[in-house]
Amino acid sequence: RVRQHHQPARTYHVTDVRNVIIIGSGPAGYTAAIYAARAQLSPLLFEGAVTAGGALMNTTEVENFPGFPHGIDGFQLMQNVREQATRFGARFAQAMVTSVDFESHPRRLVCGDQVILARSVIIATGSGYREIGLPNEKRLSGRGVSWCATCDGFFFRDQTIAVVGGGDSAVEEATFLTKFASKVVLIHRRDSLRASKIMAERAFANPKIEMLWNTEVTDVLGAEKVEALELRNTVTGEVSKRDFTGLFVAIGHIPRSELVTSQVTLNEEGYVSVEGRSTRTNLKGVFACGEMLDWEAPTGGYLLTASLASGWRAGQSILTNL
Ligand code: NAP
């Protein structure tokens, strides 16, 4: 049943009240959908308009997920989780939620010309790539500057490229890029990596990877595409220039919390604040899970398994909310 709801500027269709709406289609959102669906709450999950599945869709092999002794492709893993949720009755909308009103009861979500009403909402919009913050990094984005080795690595065949960062992402990207590039220089601002030992050792043993310690990128140079980087030694302060045709930025993530900024409590970095290690936000019936939670942010320790676990918690929490 759909009835008309009049707004001054446009007409919205207001839906019936649903038990659970999930916003976001990464591991946390899909897992929440499995649990809510198994509780027969018929969750509807908004996957986004362009891509679904979250950051794992761009990952190569996931080696450390329990139960897959030979690893599993990130894309396949997400497809499996989605299929599992579908089997129990979860439904999916390939559309963006553009605004939310969590002050009203039931909660209201706007998607195109529809207002969707929900008793409970699970926010699982994840995180996005962190940028260095240089004006030329943005200008040359897609012209040599990239945040995704699996998406763009192919374009750098036999070239000398740079990866910036010192965590698992940077090391993983650098290692993957050696499939294409003739040389990959891993630029890190400190003198040791944050990445896990096994991944770091793999990078150190790779003859195509050169480590550039105590160095930060201070500018990206090139008129139409990346030609060189301006670098600064963080110990001596010395500034230098070095030729590269590509720059992959892998310096962590920032929460994608814009949709709910004025609605739920966030910490100063923009992560959604929840009660203890629960998934409860400051609003009753509104939950958050995955990479946007503040309890995972301080350690940078969010992992696929942590996202799945918080998705599970959010899915379970719904049961006590209805
Ligand atoms: P991360 O662990 O937070 O590392 C970010 C790195 O970028 C750090 O080395 C940091 O330097 C550096 N950095 C941050 N801001 C910077 C800036 N403005 N300029 C230059 N460098 C900057 O992030 P991540 O590597 O994306 O990993 C996130 C989480 O996902 C981690 O828990 C990681 O273990 C996990 N992950 C796991 C895998 C895997 O197991 N296959 C793969 C990818 C990611 P400092 O070290 O100086 O702080």
Side-chain angles (χ1 to χ4, degrees):
R1 183 170 61 89
V2 172
R3 64 191 157 86
Q4 296 290 310
H5 171 81
H6 292 290
Q7 295 268 325
R10 69 191 277 195
T11 305
Y12 289 89
H13 303 282
V14 181
T15 67
D16 281 348
V17 183
R18 298 194 69 105
N19 286 324
V20 189
I21 294 289
I22 302 168
I23 314 172
S25 58
Y30 283 157
T31 305
I34 292 177
Y35 283 88
R38 274 177 56 82
Q40 303 203 313
L41 297 173
S42 312
L44 173 64
L45 184 150
F46 283 86
E47 293 188 297
V50 188
T51 50
L56 264 193
M57 302 297 269
N58 295 327
T59 308
T60 46
E61 195 164 87
V62 180
E63 286 182 340
N64 50 3
F65 191 67
F68 295 92
H70 306 293
I72 179 166
D73 181 71
F75 175 86
Q76 189 58 53
L77 181 59
M78 280 304 92
Q79 289 288 99
N80 291 355
V81 182
R82 187 184 191 277
E83 195 181 316
Q84 199 172 350
T86 310
R87 188 179 136 215
F88 296 116
R91 292 293 170 260
F92 301 91
Q94 281 83 41
M96 294 287 284
V97 173
T98 49
S99 67
V100 294
D101 175 4
F102 290 160
E103 269 167 24
S104 59
H105 295 273
R107 314 296 183 185
R108 300 165 73 92
L109 298 86
V110 175
C111 174
D113 63 357
Q114 282 207 319
V115 171
I116 299 110
L117 303 180
R119 289 187 188 91
S120 305
V121 179
I122 299 175
I123 317 155
T125 43
S127 62
Y129 297 118
R130 186 189 295 281
E131 299 179 2
I132 304 172
L134 302 168
N136 285 328
E137 171 193 18
K138 245 198 170 55
R139 180 176 64 82
L140 293 169
S141 159
R143 295 156 177 257
V145 179
S146 171
W147 283 263
C148 177
T150 48
C151 316
D152 300 324
F154 178 79
F155 300 111
F156 296 89
R157 201 172 278 284
D158 300 325
Q159 300 179 32
T160 299
I161 57 179
V163 174
V164 61
D168 279 330
S169 298
V171 172
E172 189 175 51
E173 300 266 284
T175 306
F176 177 77
L177 287 165
T178 58
K179 287 184 184 199
F180 308 101
S182 51
K183 180 165 204 168
V184 178
V185 180
L186 186 50
I187 302 172
H188 184 36
R189 61 187 179 183
R190 293 188 299 119
D191 64 358
S192 62
L193 294 176
R194 178 188 292 270
S196 55
K197 208 159 180 276
I198 185 169
M199 292 179 67
E201 279 173 3
R202 210 177 285 169
F204 294 147
N206 190 321
K208 282 189 174 182
I209 296 180
E210 175 191 331
M211 304 300 306
L212 197 54
W213 301 111
N214 297 318
T215 304
E216 59 185 11
V217 177
T218 46
D219 204 356
V220 187
L221 310 172
E224 296 298 318
K225 52 188 174 58
V226 173
E227 290 166 17
L229 298 178
E230 183 188 87
L231 306 170
R232 194 182 77 90
N233 186 299
T234 54
V235 178
T236 64
E238 187 193 337
V239 175
S240 60
K241 192 186 125 186
R242 184 161 167 180
D243 290 348
F244 291 103
T245 50
L247 169 66
F248 284 81
V249 181
I251 58 172
H253 299 80
I254 49 166
R256 280 210 188 115
S257 50
E258 314 84 69
L259 184 66
V260 295
T261 299
S262 58
Q263 304 279 323
V264 298
T265 305
L266 308 178
N267 73 6
E268 71 261 15
E269 291 175 80
Y271 289 89
V272 177
S273 300
V274 285
E275 282 171 43
R277 294 186 71 83
S278 79
T279 55
R280 291 189 297 273
T281 69
N282 58 310
L283 299 177
K284 192 173 182 310
V286 179
F287 301 84
C289 57
E291 294 181 356
M292 61 191 322
L293 292 192
D294 72 348
W295 53 259
E296 288 158 331
T299 57
Y302 60 77
L303 291 167
L304 172 57
T305 41
S307 278
L308 294 170
S310 74
W312 160 73
R313 259 195 208 119
Q316 293 285 79
S317 303
I318 293 291
L319 297 176
T320 52
N321 182 61
L322 292 172

